[in-house]
Amino acid sequence: RSCCQVSIMAAAAIVVMRRRRQENAYMSGYGCADVHVSDKRAREISEHLAEMKQLSATFKKYDTNRSGKLEPNQVQNLLRDINGVDPTKEERDFIIRLCDDKKVNNAIDMSELKHAIHAWKEYCAKRDDMQAALEKHDKSKSGKLEKDELKEYLTELNHGVAVADHEVDWVLSQADVLADGAINLQELAKATSAWYVYVEAKQNESACCVIA
């Protein structure tokens, strides 16, 4: 979303809150003083507005040319300032490819900013573990896991139980952001998460079959 759209959303939320207060006051005149927005809901609205305000300020800070999007060099600055880690070109491009899913313009738009920040923090938290896993299973020394190497890695996650080819293909379809038929360091965390999601879905399906 553009900064203008964020402002409109914030204004709309304020209008809704004002109308609800007016309605509460109106209803109280008819003996319905207990009709009100719950404290929990009020907190949720307040937190959402604060988050949107912070995202808008962050977007404005890095959109130095006022293009309405964060271009690669601006994304580079954003990611570096989040935790002091200067991303490589490959890491920066991965975050853009992963999160550029609204307008698809090789940039990060306002609507994609929250996802980009979250993805970078999550990647940095897992990077050392993923690096170790990559080095262990990258038998071809290509810097990425080819399909057979990915299968070996998933089998390890599966406690030694063999993983079927169609399961490997599914993980590839979920995590191969660069669409090169392999999993690099940046994609490995996504592949790992995809595998656990798949396992959980299988377990839930099995439980439903047993109940049925």
Side-chain angles (χ1 to χ4, degrees), residues 4-122:
C4 180
Q5 289 175 313
V6 173
S7 298
I8 291 173
M9 289 178 62
I14 292 172
V15 169
V16 169
M17 293 179 68
R18 285 176 177 172
R19 286 181 178 175
R20 286 184 176 177
R21 285 199 295 268
Q22 291 172 352
E23 290 171 357
N24 294 340
Y26 176 81
M27 293 299 289
S28 65
Y30 287 86
C32 301
D34 58 333
V35 179
H36 64 283
V37 177
S38 69
D39 291 341
K40 179 181 178 181
R41 182 55 181 156
R43 284 196 301 272
E44 289 173 348
I45 293 173
S46 177
E47 289 170 0
H48 175 72
L49 291 176
E51 180 184 48
M52 294 306 295
K53 182 178 180 181
Q54 180 60 49
L55 286 172
S56 179
T58 299
F59 192 85
K60 288 179 180 178
K61 176 181 177 181
Y62 292 96
D63 181 21
T64 53
N65 58 355
R66 299 297 180 260
S67 64
K69 60 185 178 182
L70 300 186
E71 296 160 0
N73 63 315
Q74 296 166 332
V75 173
Q76 181 90 17
N77 294 335
L78 167 68
L79 300 182
R80 183 189 61 239
D81 291 349
I82 287 175
N83 54 13
V85 177
D86 200 13
T88 64
K89 180 180 183 299
E90 291 74 19
E91 290 172 331
R92 180 200 68 193
D93 291 347
F94 168 73
I95 294 296
I96 293 175
R97 288 287 293 272
L98 178 65
C99 303
D100 181 23
D101 56 358
K102 300 293 191 298
K103 293 187 177 181
V104 190
N105 53 4
N106 193 38
I108 296 298
D109 299 292
M110 179 63 197
S111 59
E112 300 159 342
L113 181 59
K114 181 179 178 179
H115 184 197
I117 293 173
H118 175 76
W120 176 244
K121 289 180 178 179
E122 186 176 271

